[in-house]
Amino acid sequence: MSYLATSHFLDDNEFVDKYLYSMRTGELDLSWMDASTKDVHCTSANERRGLTFRDLDVDGYGFSDLPEVVRENRCYAPRGAEIPDGVPDMQASVNRSSDVWAYNVEGYVEEAMSRQWDATTDIPWAELQEAELPEEIGKAYAQLLTFLTEVEMIATDVPAKWMGQVNADFIEVKNFIALQAMDEARHAEIFRKRALSTGYGLMRASVQNEHNLKFLRDAETFSEASVTLHLQAEGNVLTMFRFSEYISPTDADKRMFRLVMQDEARHVGYGMQHLKWLMKHNPECRETLHAHLEEAENFLFGSIFANEVFEPFVILSGKGLKKENIDKGLVITGMFQMRQTEEYFERLDKCGLTDRRERSRLHEVYEMTKQGLAAQGAI
Amino acid sequence: MKVDFPSASFFEALNDRMAQEQDRFTRLGYFDTTFGVTVVGPGERRRNYLLNFEVYECMGAREIDNLEGEDPDFVLEADIAQWQDMLRNIQSNGGADTDHGINTLTHFGEGMKVIYDDPERHDKLFRFSESIQEYFDLAADLKIEYAS
Amino acid sequence: MAYFADRQYFDDPEAIKRGTEFSEGKLILDWYEIETDRVRCTPSDPRRGLTYEDCSKGTYSWDLLPEFVRHNYSMAARGSVLVPGLPDMGYTENRKSDIWADNIGELYEESKSRRWAPAVDVDWKALAATDFDPAVTASMCQLCTTLSEVSLVAMEFPSRWVYAINQEFLELKSLLCAQMMDQARAVEVFRKRALSSGGLKRASANVQQALKELLMADNYIEGSIGINLLVGSLLLGVYRVAATASTIDAHLFRRCQQDAARLVAYGMGNLAYHLAHREGRQEVLNEYLDSVEHCFAGIAGATEMLEPLIVIGGGGTEPGQVASGRARVASIYRVVVDEYLGRLATAGLERRDRSRLPAFFAAA
Ligand SMILES: [Fe+2]
Ligand SMILES: [Fe+2]
């Protein structure tokens, strides 16, 4: 499988002689000084923001000039550099802009770099040490955290899997997914650390959800992976974190969810802007996406079997295990699920996949449930 | 107040500045290394200091006879004229210029030597290089009395 | 490649029934009976926060990771209760001594703690106002073009393996994600440095050929010593020279140096752990390095790397400046090779008498 460079540099006399000659005589080639590239002097448009990728969007280097199909660069060269003969092929399989690009990706990548945080130091762990959680809250919370740790790990694998496939000309996207991998590693970290600091430890893995996660990971195209991971799954998680006011047992936990939420919102933002871009620039893929979403929704409906996720949510939102707690928890959880589903369809609408609602069996169930709840006077 | 160089009080003065600039050093991140500083005076007379950094601060700077027993990660060793030259440069520029940074001094010419046994611990010079340079740059506004 | 659910849940009476039961408040709560190790991890040093090391406790400890991970191919968090039916994620890196290092936790925490952002942590305005020799400016643009290529590959390397590494090695996967970010940051800063002062120059066929050979290593440990130790050691030297261009560059390249030093530290830790736990691997890895060390020469000696370094190191293209630049680069290359071989030896791989690199760099 190994790749071998086209030259063995220590045995390549021409290479060795040139090196020794330059070093011994000081006669340099310097032909690179006349590289046929644009002379640019980018400065920051807003000094408080510093020098951003958007400031680099200039003639000869910018992302605004990216063609739909990248044909010129197949190697590791940075976009805009002169590419000489003899460079290797990086074996990218994603070479179409519409397969990865998103409106404002250059903004998301800057935001990601500047809003990094540290699970080790940004949570008042010492304060949490004092917080005793009652058994039912503690166990339910530990179970929920176990599930969240599981979810986050898949979200590191997906960007990593695509990194090497994405053409080097899409550098803003590559950097975005590198940062997403780090964001998700930090999420897995913080949920694990929180679980292990509750006094209850990690609980049970979720079979049902793990199969769903495997589906997210093994999507055939980047766009399919993105629409189900960034938009659908992370969208659901984002809604869940917004419910953290109900489910967080302490203020420090609320802070934890707020920090994670910022990152998640960025991932969802990218997912939506990518889907919008895709719908505009490559609308033919609509049917393939529908097919992929159909299976994603099938998994979602099947998550009714993941009682190790729903039940902790019910207990946490009802704040206990007594009948009145469970009743209250069920109402809140029901509302939360409705909200999740509604927001999912809203996101798809906004991105131009407006016909999803009429084709979706999940939407049918959602409408029926809504009518049922309305008949009971619950909503 | 004037501080003598070399002396333990010189490093204590740097440590005070470091405490005042805690935000800056916290932003640079964990700073975990214990290293030695050796100032070689006339007649090969050596004065050695051991600096112990932990998390974001210097836990202690003390003068000791022999650094070897202390097992530092690495030792920065130069003669007194070189150290003074570096400090004067820091003072006149508000921080070391490129010829007087630790990076340059330790790798080009004979200015400053890095002594180490263990390459892994030597690499802490690189892992924390910005914090190390900014620590020495704190000398910019000290009043230093140089030993002759 | 697509993965499907085991059934059509919308048509599954069991699923409908389960939904109805839930809405009636009939919970199952089987998970509630589970008893796992009830650790309560706390920061051992409050200034440092709650580290991964603080959380390596009880049944959750990384010390309990077996050499062969056979019991879990799923995404379940290490130490949680595994139940029948979990999916197999197809992980192919399941052997601890191939990938592990004793300094993983420390390096992961350090990388987060020492993070920085090129947009704001480099004084771009002061850089624009700095007076450079035009040849140095052009050289910096060329060097940053070359370093963009190197950093891109250093970013590809961890991502290429994260996907294949068993989730039980969570802290390692996290460190590799941090390396992806560190190298993304390098790609970013070199692009910004070049485009703020003239633009990119020429990509390098030699550098890229060498990098591809290292990136595409057959197995993890070979790739790890190739990228983390061989390329990482070279980067530490290149950054030292680049840092001499200006005070702003000194700040910029010291930051890059810190990030590269963590690659090197992990590479050493990985190699040391591997050799300490595996018999007879010295010869195999020595043979591998016999075959790929030429890539080090290919990168260091490539015109697009060597010449800008000489010009920056000497401050210009006047004969005297080139002479001093050559001396600096020759010396740094010798130091870098020496340090690289020293790191290997400390990790347990002695090849100072075997490597062709010292002779190659001494010849200049
Ligand atoms: Fe996440
Ligand atoms: Fe996410």
Side-chain angles (χ1 to χ4, degrees):
Chain A
M1 173 171 112
S2 270
Y3 176 79
L4 299 177
T6 45
S7 171
H8 188 291
F9 295 102
L10 290 171
D11 295 338
D12 178 341
N13 289 336
E14 203 185 320
F15 177 83
V16 172
D17 290 348
K18 185 172 183 197
Y19 170 74
L20 291 178
Y21 184 78
S22 310
M23 287 302 260
R24 284 172 183 162
T25 64
E27 278 178 43
L28 305 181
D29 163 338
L30 301 182
S31 57
W32 46 268
M33 282 209 180
D34 306 317
S36 57
T37 55
K38 293 266 194 246
D39 183 25
V40 295
H41 297 265
C42 301
T43 53
S44 33
N46 175 348
E47 270 170 30
R48 280 166 47 233
R49 241 180 240 289
L51 186 67
T52 65
F53 273 112
R54 194 166 296 154
D55 296 324
L56 309 186
D57 187 25
V58 294
D59 189 26
Y61 301 98
F63 46 81
S64 294
D65 298 336
L66 268 172
E68 168 62 3
V69 177
V70 174
R71 299 179 190 278
E72 286 178 10
N73 188 6
R74 293 183 179 162
C75 66
Y76 303 104
R79 189 178 65 226
E82 181 184 295
I83 300 177
D85 289 340
V87 289
D89 191 318
M90 73 166 278
Q91 318 294 345
S93 64
V94 181
N95 300 300
R96 279 182 82 130
S97 290
S98 57
D99 284 342
V100 287
W101 202 257
Y103 295 100
N104 192 34
V105 62
E106 77 283 4
Y108 290 119
V109 71
E110 288 290 350
E111 181 182 307
M113 198 53 102
S114 89
R115 297 191 72 82
Q116 288 294 306
W117 50 281
D118 187 350
T120 307
T121 49
D122 289 336
I123 298 295
W125 295 107
E127 204 176 286
L128 279 172
Q129 225 168 303
E130 313 298 319
E132 283 301 329
L133 304 179
E135 176 98 4
E136 62 264 35
I137 297 296
K139 278 192 130 176
Y141 193 38
Q143 177 60 55
L144 180 69
L145 290 162
T146 305
F147 162 68
L148 291 175
T149 309
E150 233 169 336
V151 171
E152 298 296 347
M153 288 317 298
I154 200 63
T156 62
D157 282 8
V158 175
K161 172 185 162 175
W162 288 98
M163 174 65 81
Q165 299 299 319
V166 175
N167 189 295
D169 266 10
F170 305 126
I171 194 60
E172 292 83 356
V173 173
K174 288 178 84 95
N175 275 20
F176 178 79
I177 62 181
L179 281 151
Q180 188 193 352
M182 180 61 210
D183 292 343
E184 309 297 6
R186 187 171 56 245
H187 298 171
E189 172 197 355
I190 199 164
F191 292 135
R192 182 179 182 87
K193 285 180 173 177
R194 184 62 188 114
L196 298 183
S197 62
T198 55
Y200 294 91
L202 288 159
M203 304 277 287
R204 188 175 87 188
S206 176
V207 172
Q208 189 68 33
N209 279 315
E210 283 215 14
H211 284 278
N212 190 351
L213 296 173
K214 182 165 169 156
F215 161 77
L216 294 178
R217 194 190 68 155
D218 290 356
E220 283 178 28
T221 66
F222 183 86
S223 289
E224 287 176 10
S226 174
V227 72
T228 43
L229 178 77
H230 293 127
L231 192 147
Q232 185 233 346
E234 300 192 271
N236 281 347
V237 168
L238 179 61
T239 313
M240 184 174 194
F241 293 159
R242 294 221 313 269
F243 266 69
S244 62
E245 291 289 305
Y246 290 112
I247 59 174
S248 293
T250 72
D251 283 345
D253 289 289
K254 289 188 204 312
R255 175 169 168 73
M256 172 177 88
F257 281 111
R258 276 197 305 271
L259 286 168
V260 176
M261 200 163 75
Q262 294 179 2
D263 300 335
E264 231 50 272
R266 192 163 57 237
H267 306 157
V268 175
Y270 167 81
M272 287 183 67
Q273 298 302 336
H274 169 56
L275 183 56
K276 269 192 209 168
W277 184 278
L278 183 65
M279 287 292 100
K280 176 150 192 278
H281 295 88
N282 187 10
E284 311 85 84
C285 67
R286 183 177 283 264
E287 284 309 310
T288 338
L289 285 183
H290 272 304
H292 195 63
L293 285 172
E294 208 160 287
E295 189 60 13
E297 291 167 9
N298 182 36
F299 268 113
L300 210 60
F301 191 70
S303 66
I304 190 75
F305 289 105
N307 69 305
E308 63 279 306
V309 180
F310 278 111
E311 291 175 352
F313 210 84
V314 170
I315 296 170
L316 289 166
S317 50
K319 303 206 184 317
L321 251 177
K322 293 200 200 82
K323 171 117 182 29
E324 66 261 33
N325 302 120
I326 299 290
D327 288 347
K328 183 179 167 216
L330 279 167
V331 172
I332 294 172
T333 306
M335 273 164 52
F336 153 70
Q337 286 175 319
M338 294 297 282
R339 170 78 69 84
Q340 254 187 349
T341 315
E342 180 53 36
E343 287 188 353
Y344 161 65
F345 286 110
E346 275 173 9
R347 287 189 183 106
L348 291 173
D349 284 346
K350 269 190 212 147
C351 299
L353 213 66
T354 41
D355 51 344
R356 187 70 217 139
R357 281 179 201 260
E358 63 212 50
R359 297 167 64 149
S360 163
R361 295 185 71 180
L362 184 69
H363 194 258
E364 240 172 73
V365 175
Y366 165 76
E367 280 299 330
M368 270 163 50
T369 317
K370 203 162 126 185
Q371 281 161 22
L373 287 171
Q376 291 167 28
I379 50 170
Chain B
M1 203 183 86
K2 287 192 168 179
V3 287
D4 291 332
F5 183 86
S7 72
S9 55
F10 167 80
F11 291 105
E12 279 155 17
L14 290 187
N15 294 351
D16 289 343
R17 299 275 144 131
M18 194 181 184
Q20 286 160 21
E21 303 254 359
Q22 204 39 227
D23 282 355
R24 185 166 138 207
F25 282 88
T26 304
R27 170 119 181 87
L28 287 174
Y30 290 169
F31 184 8
D32 294 308
T33 172
T34 297
F35 67 88
V37 165
T38 296
V39 183
V40 184
E44 285 295 295
R45 203 173 95 79
R46 280 155 191 273
R47 294 186 65 176
N48 304 306
Y49 302 89
L50 188 73
L51 310 177
N52 167 22
F53 294 91
E54 206 178 287
V55 196
Y56 308 114
E57 56 198 314
C58 186
M59 307 303 290
R62 60 198 170 91
E63 181 157 6
I64 45 179
D65 289 341
N66 188 353
L67 279 165
E68 264 170 43
E70 302 290 336
D71 196 26
D73 292 329
F74 55 88
V75 177
L76 300 175
E77 180 183 303
D79 63 30
I80 189 157
Q82 181 66 72
W83 283 109
Q84 289 180 357
D85 187 39
M86 181 189 96
L87 291 171
R88 288 202 174 95
N89 179 269
I90 286 172
Q91 298 214 303
S92 62
N93 292 296
D97 70 13
T98 53
D99 286 339
H100 294 84
I102 298 292
N103 232 334
T104 312
L105 292 175
T106 51
H107 291 288
F108 302 113
E110 304 298 312
M112 187 179 282
K113 278 193 277 192
V114 192
I115 299 159
Y116 65 95
D117 298 324
D118 180 349
E120 191 172 0
R121 288 165 56 203
H122 164 235
D123 284 343
K124 291 188 177 184
L125 175 61
F126 307 131
R127 269 163 66 185
F128 306 115
S129 61
E130 182 68 4
S131 298
I132 292 171
Q133 187 61 53
E134 296 211 9
Y135 176 75
F136 282 108
D137 284 353
L138 292 171
D141 53 1
L142 288 183
K143 290 198 177 65
I144 304 174
E145 188 88 51
Y146 295 105
S148 50
Chain C
M1 188 165 93
Y3 189 73
F4 294 98
D6 62 345
R7 71 194 98 147
Q8 261 294 353
Y9 288 107
F10 288 112
D11 299 328
D12 181 22
E14 185 64 24
I16 316 273
K17 184 163 155 260
R18 183 67 78 85
T20 316
E21 285 171 358
F22 266 129
S23 60
E24 290 164 355
K26 285 184 200 147
L27 304 189
I28 301 170
L29 294 177
D30 46 354
W31 56 269
Y32 196 83
E33 305 310 319
I34 276 171
E35 277 303 328
T36 47
D37 194 356
R38 291 188 167 207
V39 296
R40 185 140 188 197
C41 302
T42 55
S44 55
D45 178 347
R47 293 170 307 168
R48 213 178 270 286
L50 185 69
T51 64
Y52 257 141
E53 182 154 21
D54 293 330
C55 296
S56 180
K57 295 274 147 51
T59 54
Y60 308 101
S61 168
W62 55 46
D63 294 331
L64 299 182
L65 274 168
E67 168 67 358
F68 297 96
V69 174
R70 299 179 189 277
H71 64 286
N72 184 15
Y73 278 94
S74 77
M75 270 157 283
R78 188 179 72 229
S80 60
V81 174
L82 305 179
V83 277
L86 287 167
D88 173 349
M89 300 301 291
Y91 296 127
T92 52
E93 296 306 307
N94 303 302
R95 188 167 185 180
K96 188 179 183 186
S97 61
D98 281 334
I99 53 182
W100 197 251
D102 286 330
N103 54 6
I104 284 169
E106 177 190 351
L107 292 171
Y108 175 65
E109 298 292 356
E110 193 176 299
S111 69
K112 287 179 299 151
S113 181
R114 297 191 71 79
R115 68 189 182 273
W116 56 289
V120 291
D121 285 326
V122 174
D123 191 343
W124 298 105
K125 202 177 166 190
L127 187 73
T130 306
D131 202 14
F132 288 97
D133 180 301
V136 171
T137 300
S139 298
M140 189 53 88
C141 290
Q142 177 57 55
L143 183 66
C144 286
T145 307
T146 309
L147 289 174
S148 294
E149 298 167 283
V150 181
S151 308
L152 182 68
V153 169
M155 173 166 86
E156 305 269 324
F157 176 72
S159 59
R160 184 172 146 80
W161 292 97
V162 160
Y163 179 71
I165 296 175
N166 193 303
Q167 214 68 261
E168 291 277 302
F169 302 107
L170 156 79
E171 294 86 354
L172 169 64
K173 289 181 79 136
S174 302
L175 174 65
L176 296 179
C177 291
Q179 289 187 350
M180 284 165 69
M181 180 179 73
D182 289 346
Q183 296 308 313
R185 187 197 289 127
V187 167
E188 176 188 339
V189 80
F190 297 138
R191 186 170 187 83
K192 289 181 174 175
R193 179 68 183 85
L195 267 63
S196 66
S197 54
L200 295 163
K201 294 286 185 189
R202 189 171 76 198
S204 172
N206 286 340
V207 168
Q208 289 198 25
Q209 287 291 348
L211 288 169
K212 185 171 175 183
E213 179 162 339
L214 294 167
L215 174 65
M216 297 289 173
D218 275 345
N219 56 60
Y220 185 86
I221 186 70
E222 292 178 355
S224 174
I225 55 179
I227 298 288
N228 295 315
L229 277 173
L230 194 68
V231 177
S233 294
L234 176 60
L235 283 177
L236 286 178
V238 169
Y239 294 158
R240 274 177 249 173
V241 180
T244 62
S246 73
T247 338
I248 310 293
D249 289 301
H251 282 285
L252 190 163
F253 285 99
R254 275 199 299 270
R255 303 277 199 156
C256 298
Q257 195 177 53
Q258 297 181 157
D259 296 343
R262 286 194 299 276
L263 291 182
V264 169
Y266 166 64
M268 273 185 84
N270 185 201
L271 178 61
Y273 192 92
H274 182 78
L275 294 176
H277 291 83
R278 301 280 279 277
E279 293 276 309
R281 292 290 296 166
Q282 271 87 354
E283 185 50 28
V284 177
L285 293 180
N286 259 326
E287 275 177 27
Y288 176 69
L289 288 173
D290 289 343
S291 77
V292 297
E293 272 180 355
H294 80 100
C295 295
F296 184 104
I299 301 170
T303 310
E304 297 82 2
M305 176 70 101
L306 178 70
E307 295 194 351
L309 276 183
I310 290 175
V311 180
I312 292 169
T317 45
E318 293 300 319
Q321 292 170 320
V322 172
S324 105
R326 275 188 292 143
R328 274 193 166 181
V329 174
S331 126
I332 205 80
Y333 279 176
R334 279 196 293 270
V335 168
V336 160
V337 168
D338 191 51
E339 286 177 352
Y340 154 71
L341 293 169
R343 288 183 185 110
L344 289 177
T346 303
L349 196 69
E350 183 54 74
R351 57 182 280 105
R352 279 179 276 223
D353 293 335
R354 182 164 174 167
S355 171
R356 293 172 64 188
L357 294 176
F360 177 76
F361 288 103

